[in-house]
Amino acid sequence: MTLTPTAVALPEVSPARGGPDGPFGVYVHVPFCFARCGYCDFNTYTPAELGGANPDAWVAALDRELELAAERAGGRPADTVFVGGGTPSLLGAERLGRVLDRVRAHFGLAADAEVTTEANPESTSPQFFESIRAAGYTRVSLGMQSVSPHVLATLDRIHSPGRPVAAAREARAAGFAHLNIDLIYGTPGETDDDLLRSVDAALEAGADHVSAYSLIVEQGTALARRVRRGELPAPEDDVLAHRYELVDSRLRAAGMDWYEVSNWSRPGAACRHNLGYWGGGRWWGAGPGAHSYDGVLRWWNVKHPDAYAQLLADGVLPVAGFEELSDADRHTEDVMLRLRMRDGLALALLDAQERERAATAIGDGLVLSDGERLVLTDRGRLLADAVVRSLLG
């Protein structure tokens, strides 16, 4: 029996709370992947899981969501757009162009809007990059993860070790000024040399931005099952810390600096869309399972693409649930997110007790202060979550 999906109505929010200050971004979630990587717990679906994917139907449903979203958002143009997933490049350049056209038509774009798409190197080509650049995309984020074949095999990544570098060069040749490469460190079987060769490959490919994330064994994934069965060892905290330091040292030596705990860039190349998330900006998340935030409410869409499309065909936003953040909730998030950034956390945001705890963290060598802001030290970055918990008490 097929169940009819239901949606949750979003409440109206007083303009006295939240408000339109700060950047506004649009995130578009593409739920399609050719295959599922063993470590991934994102809301993605392979063609077999969907009984055959229909990307054109997804684009049509997305168009309807963006139309309804723009009515609620009050016509504010987007400062940034980020198409993620999933594997957006599986849509092909023509559909990605249509996605951006729909955002432009319903929300509008700021004159200097940053427009990013993620891409799997295996589903790109010189023509792909040339077409999406002509459509208005300004930034590409490529998933490299590693250049070591045995690391890629453990992660169930299907691209060849050399393809990300070739794709990066093709994107540069197509005129992309900003190019991000994603890395994962701490995979079972990875060596220091494996990681450093991956970092060097990203630099040689011309990336002006690198994101490096420690491998997390997420429950319900194929990787978690392999670890539970004893086929693979779980990542060790000391090894992850050492690998982070290797990444940081290599990138800094090459002229990149960290601007968020897991992100490094050359001057002027930080990802503005992600800065909006970390800096308290507002965004609309469109697509199955996408999350949104308007300064007071956080809400999330139904996950399955079929339920998502059916609700939109009925003319309703496909909202699965929401929460209204209290002032205390928003304070917690401000501390948690802003302290992870190179610009740091303004001391004025902390109450008296939190300032006392901050003095302890300074004494422990975890943060520095110029009297106005707190910034994580190199050691503090390795313990960022613990530092946040200590400040909040």
Side-chain angles (χ1 to χ4, degrees):
M1 180 176 65
T2 301
L3 297 178
T4 301
T6 58
V8 174
L10 291 175
E12 295 299 325
V13 175
S14 166
R17 295 191 61 202
D21 57 307
F24 174 67
V26 173
Y27 171 77
V28 175
H29 184 73
V30 180
F32 309 121
C33 280
F34 179 77
R36 185 176 300 281
C37 298
Y39 61 92
C40 179
D41 71 340
F42 292 170
N43 186 46
T44 62
Y45 304 84
T46 65
E49 291 169 333
L50 291 175
N54 188 339
D56 289 313
W58 172 83
V59 172
L62 176 73
D63 182 27
R64 181 57 175 149
E65 183 186 1
L66 293 172
E67 180 182 7
L68 296 173
E71 294 172 5
R72 180 177 173 96
R76 185 176 178 189
D79 300 296
T80 63
V81 178
F82 195 105
V83 183
T87 310
S89 49
L90 279 181
L91 294 177
E94 190 273 334
R95 290 191 189 94
L96 279 175
R98 281 160 51 195
V99 167
L100 183 54
D101 282 344
R102 296 300 84 206
V103 174
R104 188 184 288 113
H106 295 304
F107 282 96
L109 297 178
D112 63 343
E114 175 193 83
V115 183
T116 307
T117 185
E118 293 179 339
N120 185 307
E122 293 296 328
S123 52
T124 62
S125 66
Q127 295 74 27
F128 170 86
F129 291 117
E130 291 166 5
S131 294
I132 64 169
R133 183 70 190 93
Y137 286 83
T138 65
R139 187 182 194 103
V140 171
S141 181
L142 288 169
M144 174 186 283
Q145 318 314 346
S146 177
V147 297
S148 297
H150 68 96
V151 173
L152 294 173
T154 300
L155 295 173
D156 292 324
R157 296 286 294 183
I158 61 172
H159 65 73
S160 59
R163 178 57 197 157
V165 172
R169 290 173 176 158
E170 291 165 3
R172 282 294 197 191
F176 280 95
H178 296 304
L179 176 66
N180 179 57
I181 286 181
D182 287 351
L183 300 174
I184 289 178
Y185 60 89
T187 301
E190 177 193 67
T191 66
D192 289 355
D193 186 59
D194 289 329
L195 177 60
L196 290 174
R197 286 192 295 108
S198 299
V199 175
D200 289 345
L203 293 169
E204 291 165 8
D208 62 355
H209 185 294
V210 172
S211 302
Y213 303 103
S214 64
L215 180 67
I216 298 175
V217 181
E218 300 285 2
Q219 292 304 309
T221 62
L223 178 63
R225 292 189 290 273
R226 295 184 68 188
V227 170
R228 187 171 60 250
R229 291 194 297 260
E231 297 173 12
L232 294 172
E236 298 179 9
D237 289 344
D238 288 347
V239 172
L240 294 176
H242 171 63
R243 297 273 161 75
Y244 179 90
E245 290 174 331
L246 288 178
V247 172
D248 184 54
S249 176
R250 196 71 131 210
L251 291 176
R252 289 172 116 169
M256 286 194 186
D257 207 350
W258 73 283
Y259 72 93
E260 191 273 343
V261 168
S262 298
N263 291 270
W264 293 256
S265 74
R266 299 196 186 281
C271 178
R272 288 168 48 201
H273 186 83
N274 287 341
L275 285 172
Y277 291 147
W278 300 320
R282 284 66 167 139
W283 71 92
W284 191 286
H291 286 229
S292 302
Y293 178 59
D294 68 0
V296 177
L297 292 176
R298 177 177 289 111
W299 64 94
W300 47 94
N301 285 347
V302 297
K303 287 188 172 183
H304 199 279
D306 291 344
Y308 169 81
Q310 185 174 337
L311 288 168
L312 286 161
D314 293 337
V316 296
L317 285 169
V319 178
F322 69 89
E323 59 180 342
E324 183 172 348
L325 275 63
S326 66
D327 290 341
D329 293 332
R330 295 166 71 193
H331 173 72
T332 295
E333 293 203 354
D334 272 347
V335 173
M336 178 179 67
L337 296 173
R338 293 176 189 271
L339 191 62
R340 292 180 62 86
M341 298 169 64
R342 181 59 182 262
D343 289 345
L345 172 69
L347 279 168
L349 293 176
L350 302 181
D351 63 26
Q353 287 185 322
E354 290 166 343
R355 290 190 184 204
E356 290 180 8
R357 297 181 195 121
T360 300
I362 292 170
D364 292 339
L366 299 173
V367 293
L368 299 172
S369 177
D370 60 1
E372 294 185 358
R373 308 187 74 81
L374 295 177
V375 178
L376 291 168
T377 62
D378 289 348
R379 178 167 169 260
R381 279 190 283 156
L382 297 173
L383 301 167
D385 292 342
V387 176
V388 169
R389 289 193 297 270
S390 71
L391 289 181
L392 293 171

